[in-house]
Amino acid sequence: MKYGVACDKISLYKKDIITWGEPMITEKDIKRIAVLSKLEVCEKDVPLYIKEIEDMLLFAEGVESSLKESKGEIGALDYNMLRSDEVMPSALSGDILSNAKNTEDNFFLLRKQA
Amino acid sequence: MGQILKLHNMLVRKEISAKELTQKYLSAIAVENSALNAYVKVTEEDALLAADITDRKLSGGEDIDALAGIPMSLKDNICTKGIETTCCSKILEGYRPIYNATAWNRLKDKGAVLLGKANMDEFAMGCSCETSCFGGAKNPYDTSFVAGGSSGGSAAGVAANLAVYSLGSDTGGSVRQPSSFCGCVGLKPTYGAVSRYGLVAYASSLDTVGIVAGSAEDVSFVFDVISGFDPMDSTSKADFAACTFDLLNKDIKGRKIGVPRELMDRSDEEVRDAVLKAVKSFESMGCEVELFSMPALVTALPAYYVIACAEASSNLSRYDGIRYGKKAEQYESIHQMICKTRGQSFGDEVKKRIMLGTFVLSEGYYDKYYAKAQDLRRELIAKFAKVFARYDALITPTSPKTAFKNAQVQEDRVGSFNADLCTVPANLAGLPAVSIPCGKSNKGHPIGLQIIGDKFRESLILNLARKYEQENGIMHIESMGVRL
């Protein structure tokens, strides 16, 4: 095999593609995503998240390339295995509860809310 | 001969007992793990008990399986009944699963000896093992460099002879890349070949249970045991029965191999040179090798990050502190308790990927990112189908670079995504791929080459890997751990 023929550059490397412009996302966006993600985010960490998530989004801009139309989701499988609808032994409730911090009888326990 | 068969023969000939063998490994771990951080938990008592079962069988004159009494490790995201499984995250501190992962159960049934749980990037999110809440695993070839990730502990442990083999997980290269950095053989099986039951989910459409070992032969032994249908995983293939070991030594003359130009061009020169040298070796064994172009391999990378983060944001929503793991102490509402638990216990990399995943799935951005990433995945799968009509296998570098220096990834997290350039296409298309050592850099760090096959062609890629090893030798470290 001979090697040495350069291929057409496909610009996906950070140094190749990124044009640093105005921030794509704001502090408000980060706080909104944090709420949707059920994550408490410290005020002092917000600027860091803005920068790093913005970097990741700029990287993800690569998905824009060569796409004409969307055809929905796809996975790596071209088959689907379904179990027969039979009752199988299940775990014991004591085992299931064994990793919880607070339990009572056969239930997970949470503090009562007003 | 691989280590498994060699040790098996020693056990059968009673040159060493399984207990003595296990004790040797435990002693080596006690001495060397502090420098490498390959293990986050050592299961000494269970290991000696398992070894004892093999010894009793042998003294009773019973036949034992090739894997019986052989010491190994499991990545810390593979569920082990009663043994803490944390995914190297604070949020799963103290979590003891109530069931075994299928892959581990199958090995356990054969008499495998579990030495402990291997270090990893938190929830397998990273490429250097440094997002682990226990600190990263170090590279046995040079401890100022990382072992790679996310299965860094698995690879470091095997390379340093602190385990004969290890199970890891590979979502975008997490078995192959650390195997490449540490001079090991790492297999990512076809999606559906090995059950994912009991593997803690990161990105379910991409996750696979993989194997790290010292040779293609050892990987083959383990793969043949852990693969096959499992009713507990709806994505496991019903009619697949692996017999890679029987085909390991098949003649490879006339095999057609493609080398994608795009991945070679984007790799460091010394990596490219090592892979090209290996390609010549395949040519000398009678393979027909051709350079070809497949641009879709490069566009796969951002698509992978979009899909993986989107799936992670959904999978990791289960961690709320109520049923298992860590829980915030001070809170005023259940919603606040969940947010605090997650905010305080997930590491920064995990939080960023969850937020990115949530963002690309949110209204207004779904079509821009997620839907288009799915389209790229579809395009890639179609391209692979055409490529495998022409070639039996593809050869690429495993990673465009050799191991990074410790803490280098933190300086440029997004830049480090490029480390996954060569490995993510196989995950997106569900293809099997194996990384084997093919040389060393000027600094003496291992370089890996990747062989990708068509779906369920593990026997072919391991056959090629084995033939390469026979021709070029196996890379290993003599001076560390247990080498019998």
Side-chain angles (χ1 to χ4, degrees):
Chain A
M1 186 195 76
K2 284 186 180 174
Y3 187 80
V5 186
C7 69
D8 294 336
K9 279 276 179 197
I10 297 148
S11 296
L12 275 174
Y13 272 62
K14 191 175 164 188
K15 62 180 168 47
D16 293 335
I17 60 157
I18 292 180
T19 313
W20 297 98
E22 291 299 309
M24 295 162 67
I25 51 174
T26 61
E27 189 177 324
K28 197 177 157 192
D29 289 329
I30 287 291
K31 288 181 176 170
R32 184 180 69 91
I33 304 165
V35 169
L36 288 171
S37 308
K38 290 193 166 63
L39 285 169
E40 185 186 67
V41 172
C42 297
E43 241 0 279
K44 68 173 175 55
D45 291 335
V46 170
L48 179 73
Y49 285 130
I50 290 176
K51 185 188 177 312
E52 295 219 2
I53 291 178
E54 206 173 85
D55 280 1
M56 288 167 98
L57 285 170
L58 282 163
F59 181 81
E61 291 286 331
V63 299
E64 293 274 29
S65 65
S66 77
L67 296 162
K68 310 285 184 290
E69 55 177 324
S70 181
K71 289 178 184 168
E73 293 193 21
I74 188 168
L77 285 181
D78 49 13
Y79 60 89
N80 193 8
M81 303 302 305
L82 294 174
R83 273 187 297 200
S84 54
D85 189 12
E86 289 167 9
V87 177
M88 290 168 70
S90 61
L92 300 170
S93 55
D95 288 344
I96 292 168
L97 293 166
S98 64
N99 277 294
K101 289 272 184 290
N102 307 102
T103 62
E104 191 173 289
D105 300 327
N106 274 339
F107 296 97
F108 297 105
L109 191 66
L110 284 169
R111 194 188 297 163
K112 194 174 178 181
Q113 302 296 309
Chain B
M1 188 189 298
Q3 277 288 291
I4 291 175
L5 201 53
K6 188 177 172 185
L7 294 174
H8 172 72
N9 289 342
M10 288 175 75
L11 288 170
V12 171
R13 289 191 211 115
K14 299 201 167 57
E15 291 165 13
I16 191 168
S17 72
K19 201 169 175 182
E20 285 167 344
L21 182 64
T22 302
Q23 269 162 340
K24 274 184 185 289
Y25 275 90
L26 290 169
S27 303
I29 291 167
V31 173
E32 311 213 33
N33 194 50
S34 55
L36 293 175
N37 206 17
Y39 285 88
V40 294
K41 187 175 188 65
V42 178
T43 51
E44 182 171 349
E45 206 176 309
D46 289 335
L48 291 169
L49 280 172
D52 196 45
I53 293 171
T54 297
D55 283 339
R56 274 189 276 132
K57 280 187 179 174
L58 283 167
S59 17
E62 281 182 57
D63 286 340
I64 58 162
D65 189 87
L67 295 178
I70 307 294
M72 46 77 70
S73 69
L74 291 173
K75 188 175 180 178
D76 201 29
N77 61 351
I78 295 174
C79 284
T80 41
K81 190 176 178 180
I83 300 170
E84 197 174 359
T85 300
T86 68
C87 297
C88 291
S89 176
K90 282 188 207 162
I91 207 161
L92 277 174
E93 198 178 273
Y95 172 61
R96 287 182 168 72
I98 60 169
Y99 61 96
N100 281 327
T102 298
W104 164 228
N105 247 350
R106 289 182 178 177
L107 293 172
K108 197 173 158 65
D109 287 349
K110 298 284 183 191
V113 173
L114 176 64
L115 295 167
K117 304 301 286 283
N119 203 353
M120 57 182 280
D121 278 299
E122 183 178 4
F123 283 103
M125 295 181 190
C127 59
S128 65
C129 200
E130 291 170 303
T131 68
S132 164
C133 72
F134 300 104
K138 305 285 185 274
N139 195 310
Y141 283 84
D142 183 343
T143 52
S144 59
F145 285 74
V146 302
S150 64
S151 311
S154 292
V158 170
N161 305 308
L162 300 179
V164 178
Y165 67 93
S166 183
L167 292 192
S169 66
D170 192 314
T171 304
S174 285
V175 158
R176 289 160 287 159
Q177 185 252 36
S179 295
S180 160
F181 283 8
C182 294
C184 301
V185 178
L187 173 72
K188 173 238 173 275
T190 307
Y191 187 83
V194 177
S195 169
R196 290 180 296 114
Y197 180 68
L199 169 67
V200 179
Y202 161 20
S204 305
S205 79
L206 304 160
D207 291 340
T208 51
V209 174
I211 303 155
V212 182
S215 66
E217 182 188 289
D218 287 350
V219 166
S220 163
F221 263 124
V222 180
F223 176 70
D224 287 356
V225 170
I226 66 170
S227 56
F229 178 64
D230 175 18
M232 301 305 283
D233 175 3
S234 63
T235 61
S236 88
K237 181 96 166 133
D239 52 356
F240 177 65
C243 53
T244 61
F245 188 74
D246 298 339
L247 302 168
L248 269 184
N249 293 310
K250 212 175 156 192
D251 191 5
I252 58 171
K253 197 176 173 188
R255 288 288 183 200
K256 287 186 177 158
I257 296 173
V259 178
R261 190 187 285 162
E262 287 78 4
L263 301 185
M264 296 292 274
D265 278 354
R266 285 165 173 75
S267 297
D268 283 355
E269 199 176 343
E270 55 186 354
V271 171
R272 196 165 57 207
D273 288 349
V275 173
L276 286 170
K277 199 174 158 200
V279 162
K280 284 198 174 74
S281 176
F282 280 105
E283 281 179 325
S284 72
M285 288 186 274
C287 295
E288 293 170 27
V289 188
E290 197 174 277
L291 195 67
F292 75 104
S293 179
M294 186 174 170
L297 288 173
V298 184
T299 49
L301 189 60
Y304 163 81
Y305 272 97
V306 168
I307 292 168
C309 291
E311 292 186 18
S313 77
S314 169
N315 274 326
L316 272 66
S317 65
R318 72 191 64 176
Y319 302 105
D320 53 16
I322 296 171
R323 290 154 300 161
Y324 39 72
K326 219 170 175 181
K327 182 180 171 186
E329 297 298 329
Q330 305 293 323
Y331 54 90
E332 287 167 8
S333 68
I334 292 172
H335 178 75
Q336 196 188 54
M337 186 273 286
I338 294 171
C339 293
K340 272 181 179 275
T341 296
R342 291 162 62 80
Q344 291 166 6
S345 306
F346 281 137
D348 279 343
E349 186 64 24
V350 173
K351 282 191 269 192
K352 272 181 290 182
R353 292 196 193 200
I354 290 174
M355 286 201 277
L356 180 72
T358 305
F359 184 81
V360 298
L361 289 173
S362 64
E363 194 183 356
Y365 299 98
Y366 181 96
D367 290 337
K368 181 175 164 70
Y369 295 105
Y370 184 72
K372 287 182 178 174
Q374 291 287 357
D375 285 348
L376 273 180
R377 186 177 193 176
R378 190 192 317 279
E379 270 182 23
L380 180 75
I381 290 170
K383 290 269 160 53
F384 267 124
K386 283 185 184 166
V387 163
F388 282 114
R390 188 166 171 183
Y391 304 113
D392 294 310
L394 308 184
I395 286 181
T396 78
T398 305
S399 169
K401 294 179 180 298
T402 52
F404 324 117
K405 216 165 169 40
N406 292 332
Q408 190 184 330
V409 169
Q410 277 96 315
E411 290 163 18
D412 183 11
R413 283 217 181 272
V414 176
S416 73
F417 289 175
N418 289 318
D420 301 331
L421 177 74
C422 306
T423 48
V424 298
N427 296 82
L428 285 168
L431 303 171
V434 63
S435 174
I436 55 172
C438 67
K440 283 184 181 170
S441 69
N442 293 333
K443 288 180 184 160
H445 300 159
I447 296 169
L449 78 81
Q450 176 181 232
I451 307 171
I452 306 175
D454 203 355
K455 279 186 184 177
F456 300 104
R457 297 298 305 276
E458 278 84 354
S459 54
L460 171 65
I461 60 170
L462 289 173
N463 174 213
L464 289 165
R466 168 74 168 159
K467 285 288 178 186
Y468 178 81
E469 283 175 355
Q470 281 177 338
E471 197 75 5
N472 299 278
I474 293 171
M475 189 180 286
H476 65 267
I477 302 173
E478 285 286 354
S479 57
M480 296 179 95
V482 183
R483 195 87 197 165
L484 295 172

